[in-house]
Amino acid sequence: MTFAINGKEFSESPRAGQCLRTFLRELGHFGVKKGCDAGDCGACTVLIDGEPVHSCLIPAFRADGHVVTTIEGLAADGGTHSMQQAFLDAQAFQCGFCTAGMILTCASLNQAQRQDLGASLKGNLCRCTGYRAIEDALDGKTNIEDAAAGGAFGRSLPAPAGPQVVRGAARYTFDTTIEGMLHIKMLRSPHPHAKIISIDKTMALAVPGVHAVLTFEDAPDRLFSTARHERDWMDPDDTRVLENVVRFIGQKVAAVVAETEAAAEEGCRRLKVDYDLLPDVVDPAQAIAPGAPLIHSDKTREQRVADAQRNIVAETHGEYGDVAAALAQAAVTYEGTFTTQRVQHAALETHGGLAWIDPAGVLNVRSSTQTPFLTRRALADIFDLPPDKVRVFCERVGGGFGGKQEMFVEDILALAAIKTGRPVKLELTREEQFIATSTRHPMRVTVKAGADKDGKLTALQLDVLSNTGAYGNHAGPVLLHACGESIGVYNCPNKKVDAVVAYTNTVPSGAFRGYGLPQTLLAVEAAINELAKGLGISPYEIRRRNIVKPGDPMRSPPGSGHTDVLYGSYGLDQCLDLVERAMQAEAPNIELSNDWLIGDGIALTMIDTVPPDGHIADARISLREDGGFELTVGTAEFGNGTSTVHRQIAATALATTVDQIRLKQSDTAYGGHDTGAYGSTGTFVAGRATQAAAESLAGDLKTFASDATGIDPGSCVLENDSVICGKQRLSFAQLAEMARGQGKMLRASGTSEGTPRSVAFNVQGFRVAVNKGTGEIKILKSVHAADAGRVANPMQCRGQIEGGVAQSLGATLYEEMVIDDRGRVVNPKFRDYHLPSFADIPRTEVFFADTTDSLGPMGAKSMSESPYNPVAAALGNALADATGIRFTAVPFKPDRLWPLLHEKFGSKVGS
Ligand code: FES
Ligand code: FES
């Protein structure tokens, strides 16, 4: 068999049944990615004879006699193809996992195909960008700027890894091989609830190439939570690496470790497991009812399970004032119950990693994680290892969205590496991602609200039932967050919360962008609109009369005592103005028949810029011999842009340019600590640590230059890669040389403990058209205003907002994990789940409030997760405005809308 890959002749023979994607990766073409292995995502796109194909669907032998081009060979002689350059100019990527495939498809389009990008790009999914920047690349737009020395902060500088990303040279978790590596496959439970009586390994161990079968008998008998938080009290200890009780379909039962994935899979098939089936419950309301089967009956409050005898993992109850009395006296009231569904993060890179023990006896884990330092801590605890004998690090991570603030694979990797003494790899499939990682918490939210005749809120009450699935990772903190800022943003003398999280025999829920707020906002923001409607005032006006303003307490019962949340800046009023103006601006006329109803809707959100109770980040920076700087931080890059922002902060503080800042990050071997890249803390917390380190070093440079020149340090300033003392200019390179001559290192460190915290704000507006005959929705206008403080990198921040809105639109309109009555996920594939593609996402106009935060680094606030939060609520309000019907369940799919539309408009359709 002969074929040409990127202009080179090959005569290798693929293995029987091997797909082209695997074959190419085994030849070292790591730009060919795996996102689904089912032809649904396009991450594996290559060109065959110039035509884009999904290489996961092509048997490798079919390449015989053809010319194959991967991203690494798109440009001649290792240069940059015009499409790669267009993606760089527009910065049409975030995590970059989809980018190689996307570029190859875009590069192959002819003029006719470019006229219909919705159809032409339907085979390439991007979970991060919302596609607007990709369209910009195809339109030849430039979104990047440059910056003079000291002027980096606030400029739209490109991501440092951009050139590697567009050429397929950026290395993600699985883009490496290790000599002698074994592969892990998991046997997963087919039962929602069962006790494992025995596991017969004999037949599995007889499979050629199988090295080990690991079961609960081989794993440490230690409870922990897969959730990673700085403080253990936040999550229940209810999970083991492997255990003898399974609580959901998909839970890991055993790990087979083998020379090849095929042998490991065959080993899994040959395991004989004897289960004793236990009663199960998949509905959260039934789970907390008397007599329900108990899912964690052995757990107690000591393991931080609130009431194991009622399947309640966490609950919160409290009241300010007297809500019942206030509702009785209100001029207008509203009550409604809303339900939200399970949705998946769907990061294109699945969970997984590699582990090995190095000659110094250190357990190394390279994984797709947002929390390397906390994962190291957990592994050291579980396996009784000194922390310095465990190293956890990540390369570039292909999307996270909170889903990788968990330890789903690293424990198995560590166990397998320790037991076999060999390097091991575990890469979850897309199906495992759906059935065995985590999802957003589905919630049932009842809201009661009242206002007086002047439009002042007098009562706000939330009754929440959240479904954590089989394990309680993030259950309590998500609930607190959901019931916190959603009503804390409104002044109201009477507030009440009753909220419960139930265990069920279903796939666990966990951290997901927005952390509970999108669910409760759907109800709260609907209630605010309904009150406005009842009073005959605008949705903007009722919010202006009731939102908190600087000086107002941000209260929600039972009162968390978070006195460290301050108004570091305030731009919610501006956000409302910006959205109102943009929604009123003239829009192009769209011809629609009388079957289409048009309406507007808005919703707002407030979010604390840091999770509560401890989020710690260290940063260190040193002057290199060449006059540049080396910056070391713990926070990870997974498309959130921290690697760009940290260099901007350091370059600004040190009066240099970003290319002089070399960044090392997300590796416990570098020392220091970082709680993790979640809760939008990469800028606000880790950025403050970087600012502190860089400003400290700037001070040291001035002192050093002052000593060298004899000029008072107060008369020394940093400017253009130099320190200027009086009339003398000493370049950083000269200072480095002088320091070396004195045997000194010029370096500094900074720490941020994530407190005090600020608040950030977002307002989303939609204009929609709804077909009263079919339930189809068209989005005619999407407007988003954000108060991100002084925006560190406008292009990048706009991308986070567009991506957040797009991801949330998916969950608002289409995405839903369907769970059957046994708790089985029946649609664990992108094809059946409907991840939004290019054609599904409208352009969102993004505006920024003009504020500078007194608490954030250089005036910046967080802005990665909150744009997600108001989307479903704003769209629900627009639907209600268009139709007069309050739809209360997401996703707003046509078949869910149609019955109510038909009831109201049935006879008038087509008129
Ligand atoms: S990996 Fe081939 S289409 Fe997703
Ligand atoms: S940039 Fe497209 S999936 Fe992350």
Side-chain angles (χ1 to χ4, degrees):
M1 191 177 148
T2 57
F3 46 92
I5 303 176
N6 299 334
K8 248 172 93 180
E9 292 284 324
F10 281 83
S11 54
E12 264 86 346
S13 287
R15 293 192 301 277
Q18 190 174 29
C19 73
L20 182 58
R21 181 194 67 79
T22 313
F23 184 57
L24 289 169
R25 282 184 63 84
E26 285 183 3
L27 290 175
H29 298 287
F30 290 123
V32 186
K33 298 285 188 262
K34 171 181 171 182
C36 68
D37 256 5
D40 297 329
C41 75
C44 64
T45 301
V46 300
L47 304 181
I48 295 188
D49 300 333
E51 287 298 315
V53 296
H54 291 166
S55 61
C56 67
L57 294 183
I58 308 274
F61 74 86
R62 289 253 175 92
D64 190 7
H66 293 279
V67 173
V68 177
T69 307
T70 72
I71 191 69
E72 293 93 340
L74 182 62
D77 304 326
T80 306
H81 185 273
S82 58
M83 189 56 69
Q84 290 169 319
Q85 189 59 50
F87 269 62
L88 281 174
D89 292 343
Q91 291 286 286
F93 54 85
Q94 287 176 20
C95 80
F97 201 79
C98 71
T99 306
M102 195 70 82
I103 288 175
L104 285 165
T105 300
C106 290
S108 72
L109 299 181
N110 59 34
Q111 276 313 316
Q113 290 167 322
R114 280 182 175 230
Q115 299 312 307
D116 186 1
L117 290 177
S120 305
L121 295 181
K122 69 177 188 297
N124 289 81
L125 298 175
C126 174
R127 190 53 156 168
C128 300
T129 62
Y131 301 101
R132 194 271 316 155
I134 292 166
E135 189 176 16
D136 282 356
L138 284 158
D139 288 344
K141 287 196 180 145
T142 296
N143 292 327
I144 52 175
E145 309 175 297
D146 49 24
F153 195 88
R155 306 283 291 174
S156 292
L157 299 180
Q164 287 80 39
V165 168
V166 301
R167 290 186 194 121
R171 290 291 169 253
Y172 294 78
T173 311
F174 306 112
D175 296 342
T176 188
T177 51
I178 302 177
E179 187 69 30
M181 188 170 72
L182 300 175
H183 299 263
I184 304 171
K185 283 287 174 184
M186 305 303 305
L187 179 73
R188 298 189 178 276
S189 171
H191 304 296
H193 200 190
K195 187 164 172 36
I196 297 170
I197 306 298
S198 64
I199 300 177
D200 183 348
K201 305 176 179 179
T202 320
M203 298 284 283
L205 287 168
V207 174
V210 168
H211 279 252
V213 175
L214 305 172
T215 71
F216 63 90
E217 289 170 334
D218 304 291
D221 182 14
R222 187 157 292 176
L223 284 165
F224 61 93
S225 173
T226 59
R228 299 289 83 225
H229 280 117
E230 187 64 45
R231 309 276 182 238
D232 283 345
W233 68 259
M234 291 192 171
D235 305 284
D237 286 337
D238 61 2
T239 304
R240 290 179 174 85
V241 178
L242 292 164
E243 64 180 305
N244 67 343
V245 177
V246 287
R247 298 181 173 88
F248 68 99
I249 293 173
Q251 180 171 327
K252 50 197 185 205
V253 169
V256 177
V257 193
E259 293 287 345
T260 63
E261 284 192 10
E265 277 168 1
E266 182 59 21
C268 286
R269 280 191 286 272
R270 298 219 191 163
L271 282 171
K272 287 201 175 1
V273 186
D274 187 11
Y275 294 99
D276 181 12
L277 301 191
L278 300 171
D280 57 84
V281 57
V282 302
D283 178 82
Q286 289 173 11
I288 60 171
L294 296 180
I295 298 170
H296 286 277
S297 59
D298 55 330
K299 309 294 184 324
T300 66
R301 282 181 172 270
E302 234 170 70
Q303 281 105 27
R304 298 180 294 282
V305 174
D307 188 348
Q309 302 313 310
R310 289 195 301 145
N311 288 321
I312 292 176
V313 58
E315 58 188 323
T316 179
H317 305 274
E319 182 170 10
Y320 298 131
D322 186 339
V323 168
L327 284 170
Q329 290 161 17
V332 57
T333 61
Y334 174 77
E335 177 175 348
T337 296
F338 295 74
T339 57
T340 67
Q341 80 284 37
R342 277 187 192 283
V343 288
Q344 234 285 334
H345 310 78
L348 283 200
E349 181 192 59
T350 58
H351 282 76
L354 297 86
W356 66 97
I357 296 168
D358 67 21
V362 174
L363 170 67
N364 288 262
V365 179
R366 165 179 168 149
S367 77
S368 184
T369 179
Q370 294 173 233
T371 57
F373 288 82
L374 298 189
T375 301
R376 189 240 327 236
R377 184 189 288 170
L379 293 177
D381 284 351
I382 292 167
F383 293 97
D384 269 333
L385 294 168
D388 65 351
K389 288 292 181 192
V390 184
R391 172 195 178 204
V392 179
F393 68 105
C394 58
E395 296 291 335
R396 198 169 173 87
V397 173
F401 315 115
K404 294 172 180 172
Q405 192 195 337
E406 307 267 5
M407 191 176 69
F408 287 134
V409 291
E410 291 87 347
D411 52 347
I412 288 289
L413 282 162
L415 180 67
I418 290 167
K419 292 286 183 189
T420 64
R422 294 269 297 266
V424 292
K425 176 184 172 188
L426 172 59
E427 181 176 4
L428 296 196
T429 64
R430 180 54 56 186
E431 179 170 348
E432 287 180 298
Q433 203 69 19
F434 274 100
I435 67 166
T437 61
S438 64
T439 73
R440 184 175 292 287
H441 289 80
M443 290 189 193
R444 185 193 70 197
V445 183
T446 298
V447 61
K448 293 182 187 171
D452 65 19
K453 63 180 176 25
D454 298 322
K456 287 284 209 182
L457 284 174
T458 55
L460 256 181
Q461 178 174 341
L462 287 182
D463 199 321
V464 180
L465 176 59
S466 173
N467 182 354
T468 193
Y471 293 92
N473 40 305
H474 296 278
V478 162
L479 192 71
L480 287 176
H481 201 53
C483 299
E485 294 102 306
S486 60
I487 60 173
V489 71
Y490 291 109
N491 285 314
C492 179
N494 304 291
K495 291 181 183 174
K496 187 174 183 202
V497 167
D498 285 294
V500 165
V501 198
Y503 281 124
T504 59
N505 293 113
T506 58
V507 57
S509 307
F512 195 152
R513 200 175 200 169
Y515 215 63
L517 277 170
Q519 294 97 307
T520 46
L521 284 173
L522 179 68
V524 172
E525 292 294 293
I528 300 295
N529 261 40
E530 293 294 339
L531 294 179
K533 192 170 156 197
L535 291 162
I537 58 176
S538 86
Y540 297 95
E541 187 51 36
I542 192 166
R543 287 176 172 82
R544 287 189 183 110
R545 289 183 199 178
N546 291 286
I547 51 174
V548 292
K549 299 184 184 63
D552 292 338
M554 297 172 267
R555 301 210 309 168
S556 77
S560 54
H562 292 151
T563 50
D564 68 331
V565 181
L566 309 173
Y567 293 94
S569 55
Y570 180 82
L572 180 52
D573 49 353
Q574 290 183 52
C575 289
L576 280 168
D577 293 348
L578 287 164
V579 168
E580 186 171 28
R581 259 202 307 278
M583 290 298 288
Q584 286 167 351
E586 274 202 23
N589 242 349
I590 296 182
E591 297 270 318
L592 292 170
S593 76
N594 289 341
D595 285 343
W596 291 89
L597 304 165
I598 294 178
D600 284 6
I602 61 161
L604 61 77
T605 183
M606 173 176 81
I607 193 164
D608 299 345
T609 54
V610 187
D613 290 318
H615 199 108
I616 301 161
D618 294 331
R620 279 167 295 131
I621 190 160
S622 57
L623 179 64
R624 297 195 314 259
E625 287 185 10
D626 61 1
F629 298 90
E630 182 146 295
L631 172 64
T632 306
V633 297
T635 193
E637 173 64 62
F638 53 95
N640 48 353
T642 47
S643 51
T644 319
V645 168
H646 281 257
R647 290 161 83 239
Q648 288 180 263
I649 291 170
T652 303
L654 288 159
T656 185
T657 48
V658 287
D659 57 305
Q660 294 299 309
I661 311 288
R662 194 190 295 154
L663 183 67
K664 288 161 70 179
Q665 67 186 129
S666 54
D667 189 337
T668 62
Y670 299 148
H673 180 74
D674 189 276
T675 297
Y678 63 84
S680 300
T681 50
T683 295
F684 197 87
V685 181
R688 282 203 300 219
T690 289
Q691 183 183 5
E695 288 179 347
S696 172
L697 182 57
D700 292 348
L701 290 171
K702 280 194 254 184
T703 306
F704 190 78
S706 157
D707 290 346
T709 58
I711 297 204
D712 181 69
S715 301
C716 296
V717 293
L718 268 63
E719 189 183 292
N720 269 339
D721 295 296
S722 306
V723 182
I724 298 171
C725 294
K727 292 201 166 106
Q728 296 187 58
R729 172 184 288 267
L730 289 169
S731 72
F732 291 157
Q734 286 172 307
L735 290 173
E737 194 179 338
M738 291 163 72
R740 199 168 61 248
Q742 296 174 24
K744 279 188 184 166
M745 273 292 290
L746 287 168
R747 61 183 164 212
S749 59
T751 294
S752 168
E753 295 184 349
T755 185
R757 301 179 283 153
S758 188
V759 276
F761 302 96
N762 300 71
V763 178
Q764 171 70 40
F766 283 118
R767 178 163 303 143
V768 301
V770 190
N771 188 305
K772 58 190 177 190
T774 63
E776 187 190 346
I777 297 173
K778 287 183 198 290
I779 296 174
L780 307 180
K781 193 167 203 170
S782 172
V783 174
H784 194 102
D787 173 18
R790 190 174 161 225
V791 181
N793 185 317
M795 172 264 306
Q796 197 171 274
C797 192
R798 190 182 62 180
Q800 290 294 320
I801 292 168
E802 290 163 342
V805 171
Q807 191 176 37
S808 194
L809 269 175
T812 301
L813 296 174
Y814 323 107
E815 296 177 35
E816 181 167 29
M817 289 173 65
V818 181
I819 310 280
D820 71 12
D821 59 4
R822 306 295 318 285
R824 184 190 311 273
V825 180
V826 301
N827 57 341
K829 299 183 181 73
F830 283 157
R831 189 160 303 182
D832 303 327
Y833 177 74
H834 193 163
L835 217 60
S837 68
F838 187 99
D840 295 317
I841 298 299
R843 282 179 89 90
T844 292
E845 293 173 68
V846 175
F847 302 91
F848 292 113
D850 182 11
T851 63
T852 298
D853 200 81
S854 60
L855 304 171
M858 299 187 173
K861 292 197 274 196
S862 54
M863 196 45 65
S864 282
E865 60 176 335
S866 55
Y868 190 110
N869 299 348
V871 169
L875 209 124
N877 284 340
L879 285 179
D881 187 46
T883 64
I885 301 168
R886 174 58 64 183
F887 296 98
T888 56
V890 281
F892 297 129
K893 287 181 177 174
D895 60 341
R896 193 168 276 160
L897 269 51
W898 185 83
L900 290 179
L901 290 168
H902 184 68
E903 192 181 317
K904 183 165 180 178
F905 302 108
S907 59
K908 298 175 199 162
V909 173
S911 59

